[in-house]
Amino acid sequence: MKWFVVAAVAVCLLVPNSHCASNTVDWCYHDSSCNDSTWPTIAAPFCNGTRQSPINIVSASATGNADLTAFTFENYNDNSVLEKIENTGKTVKVAIKTGVKISGGGLSESYDSLQFHLHWGSGSSVPGSEHTVDGKRYPMELHIVNSKSSLNGNTTLAVADSTGLAALGFFIEVMSGNATGQPASWKNLTSYLSSIPLSGDSTTIKLAISLDDLLEGVDRTKYYRYLGSLTTPSCNEAVVWTVFKDPIMVSKDLIDLFSTTLRISSNSSSPLMVNVYRNVQSAQPVTTQHSGCGSITATVTSYFLGLALSFMLATSWN
Ligand SMILES: *[C@@H]1O[C@H](CO)[C@@H](O)[C@H](O)[C@H]1NC(C)=O
Ligand SMILES: *[C@@H]1O[C@H](CO)[C@@H](O)[C@H](O)[C@H]1NC(C)=O
Ligand SMILES: *[C@@H]1O[C@H](CO)[C@@H](O)[C@H](O)[C@H]1NC(C)=O
Ligand SMILES: *[C@@H]1O[C@H](CO)[C@@H](O)[C@H](O)[C@H]1NC(C)=O
Ligand SMILES: *[C@@H]1O[C@H](CO)[C@@H](O)[C@H](O)[C@H]1NC(C)=O
Ligand SMILES: *[C@@H]1O[C@H](CO)[C@@H](O)[C@H](O)[C@H]1NC(C)=O
Ligand SMILES: [Zn+2]
């Protein structure tokens, strides 16, 4: 780990004019000269690992897992827990106040919800979710990052533990029809984007917005689960991933604000922040709720079909 930090600083010093944040290696998303193809080299030993995220989820290959019970969301209904919204140059990050937690959902213990951030493409027409399902990429993806409560917010310990972090992934889909400014919670959240156009900008959240409001319309008992990694360098393989099946529906105008308002550096002439997602990595075993149901239904159906067929055969023989 020490070697890695030293190397990262060296890379930062060698790249002039770059947005090197403290001790992290300089990296980019989708640029012809700088993109995620180099992460395994510039951010080894983790970005070159074997349980990397995101992945394409093949729904038909997800096996049943009876442990994947409902989550308990603590203080997700509190509309004063969102603290601060920040343009990091790579994403928009919202810090969550202490006392917000998740448990259940097949997790080994409770996890503290620390922050959420988003991934997007270039407007609603160029999708930019990180996970894909059966090859479908959604316009955006929301990640709520949670850290094992027993680690007391020590992120060094969390990224060194194979289940130290629990990430909740929510797809964002364009609301049908011509709605604008919907839903109200997302109207509230995105109203802050114009206050943080440049990397490093941040502002306090004063509007009343709860996490439950932002997750409106999602059945949070239906999700995929797999073990993966952080999707940005240093890509630590420390994440229990939960990817919810239902998307959050947001109107097109609000989705488009992300790729038209935010810039990647503190220079107001710097490029707009677009296509901020990592490409999919090697497949991992994925589980989900009672996928056994499908096969039970199939078995029962073929049993009754068989019965009906025997009856027809028997009667036709009379
Ligand atoms: C990614 O960057 C590399 C150089 O680091 C370049 O050769 C490659 O063409 C880029 N890929 C894309 C898709 O732009
Ligand atoms: C990743 O890179 C590290 C450091 O170069 C190396 O020790 C490790 O074996 C590599 N891992 C894989 C899976 O190739
Ligand atoms: C995190 O835990 C490590 C190991 O116990 C310790 O060295 C470090 O100081 C802790 N960091 C913080 C911020 O408390
Ligand atoms: C959306 O707006 C277009 C153009 O104004 C209109 O033709 C269309 O019927 C509207 N669709 C819906 C679902 O309201
Ligand atoms: C939006 O913010 C206003 C002002 O704080 C608040 O009254 C309203 O309930 C919020 N709506 C949602 C859905 O977050
Ligand atoms: C901002 O970016 C523009 C265009 O890339 C460049 O000409 C200018 O020198 C930059 N300004 C600063 C303060 O870096
Ligand atoms: Zn993320």
Side-chain angles (χ1 to χ4, degrees):
M1 195 65 193
K2 228 172 205 160
W3 172 86
F4 168 65
V5 171
V6 170
V9 170
V11 170
C12 270
L13 292 173
L14 289 170
V15 181
N17 211 10
S18 64
H19 29 269
C20 274
S22 57
N23 64 346
T24 55
V25 67
D26 191 48
W27 52 272
C28 336
Y29 282 112
H30 301 268
D31 190 278
S32 52
S33 59
C34 181
N35 55 55
D36 60 358
S37 69
T38 61
W39 297 5
T41 322
I42 64 170
F46 304 125
C47 296
N48 65 339
T50 54
R51 61 168 256 201
Q52 289 291 292
S53 295
I55 59 167
N56 174 48
I57 295 166
V58 179
S59 59
S61 304
T63 56
N65 180 351
D67 295 337
L68 301 182
T69 54
F71 286 94
T72 300
F73 294 92
E74 212 173 306
N75 291 325
Y76 272 53
N77 61 353
D78 185 327
N79 63 19
S80 65
V81 298
L82 304 188
E83 192 161 31
K84 184 182 95 157
I85 184 167
E86 180 187 1
N87 175 340
T88 70
K90 302 290 196 234
T91 186
V92 167
K93 184 169 86 177
V94 174
I96 301 172
K97 291 179 188 165
T98 54
V100 182
K101 293 170 192 288
I102 59 169
S103 56
L107 298 174
S108 59
E109 59 168 281
S110 87
Y111 284 69
D112 300 320
S113 303
L114 306 179
Q115 52 108 329
F116 72 78
H117 61 266
L118 295 125
H119 299 269
W120 60 88
S122 184
S124 50
S125 53
V126 180
S129 68
E130 295 216 292
H131 290 93
T132 57
V133 177
D134 299 329
K136 177 187 163 73
R137 191 179 300 284
Y138 287 83
M140 295 185 69
E141 187 169 332
L142 167 72
H143 288 160
I144 305 179
V145 180
N146 307 269
S147 173
K148 255 183 194 171
S149 299
S150 60
L151 300 178
N152 294 315
N154 186 323
T155 46
T156 308
L157 290 177
V159 296
D161 177 334
S162 69
T163 59
L165 298 167
L168 306 181
F170 294 88
F171 295 119
I172 295 175
E173 180 65 285
V174 182
M175 196 178 267
S176 63
N178 295 334
T180 58
Q182 295 294 323
S185 55
W186 284 83
K187 172 90 176 157
N188 278 358
L189 183 75
T190 53
S191 70
Y192 288 104
L193 297 182
S194 59
S195 307
I196 55 166
L198 307 180
S199 178
D201 289 347
S202 70
T203 188
T204 306
I205 294 187
K206 299 221 171 72
L207 295 177
I209 312 169
S210 72
L211 288 161
D212 280 344
D213 289 336
L214 293 171
L215 306 178
E216 181 188 313
V218 176
D219 178 349
R220 282 181 250 162
T221 68
K222 303 281 191 293
Y223 56 87
Y224 298 106
R225 165 64 46 78
Y226 77 95
L227 296 176
S229 73
L230 298 179
T231 65
T232 56
S234 43
C235 311
N236 303 65
E237 296 184 335
V239 185
V240 180
W241 272 100
T242 301
V243 178
F244 292 88
K245 296 182 180 180
D246 288 349
I248 302 168
M249 307 304 287
V250 176
S251 62
K252 179 182 181 303
D253 60 321
L254 300 186
I255 289 175
D256 289 346
L257 285 176
F258 288 88
S259 54
T260 56
T261 312
L262 306 164
R263 296 186 182 272
I264 65 165
S265 88
S266 55
N267 185 335
S268 57
S269 325
S270 66
L272 288 167
M273 201 186 292
V274 295
N275 299 322
V276 282
Y277 65 92
R278 186 188 196 188
N279 284 304
V280 294
Q281 307 293 304
S282 308
Q284 301 296 331
V286 176
T287 64
T288 188
Q289 287 78 28
H290 29 63
S291 92
C293 263
S295 46
I296 287 168
T297 309
T299 310
V300 170
T301 308
S302 46
Y303 174 76
F304 281 109
L305 275 176
L307 213 64
L309 194 63
S310 331
F311 178 75
M312 276 158 62
L313 285 174
T315 47
S316 65
W317 276 345
N318 284 340

